[in-house]
Amino acid sequence: MKIAPDKWKHFFAGIPMGAVLLGFCAYMIPSAPIKAAALALIPVVGISYGFELFSKITGKGHYDVMDAFASILGGMVGIGAVLPFLL
């Protein structure tokens, strides 16, 4: 199965988003890195799907739920990459 280049762009954009949001959440909750990771996932999902929803409502851009899914997966990779440094 070939993955479209557009999905890769969303995936790679999600990685720093997840890493930065985890860093922020870990700064706010320094004693609980697992809770910070779970808390960071909420805005990753919200931003990823919110961007696609914005595209659908305004007609600017291309609405595709799989783009949001690719961004969420990238965000999870970013969270997973930073989390071992917090444990």
Side-chain angles (χ1 to χ4, degrees):
M1 180 170 109
K2 183 140 173 97
I3 299 174
D6 180 44
K7 306 305 182 254
W8 284 111
K9 289 178 187 176
H10 286 273
F11 176 78
F12 288 125
I15 293 173
M17 178 174 58
V20 168
L21 287 171
L22 176 58
F24 177 74
C25 291
Y27 175 75
M28 299 307 265
I29 312 171
S31 61
I34 301 298
K35 287 183 183 177
L39 187 64
L41 190 59
I42 295 169
V44 166
V45 171
I47 291 168
S48 299
Y49 185 68
F51 180 76
E52 295 302 320
L53 197 58
F54 178 79
S55 297
K56 182 178 183 177
I57 291 170
T58 61
K60 297 177 181 178
H62 177 70
Y63 172 77
D64 188 5
V65 175
M66 292 308 290
D67 288 347
F69 184 70
S71 297
I72 293 167
L73 284 178
M76 291 173 70
V77 168
I79 290 169
V82 173
L83 189 59
F85 296 105
L86 301 176
L87 296 176

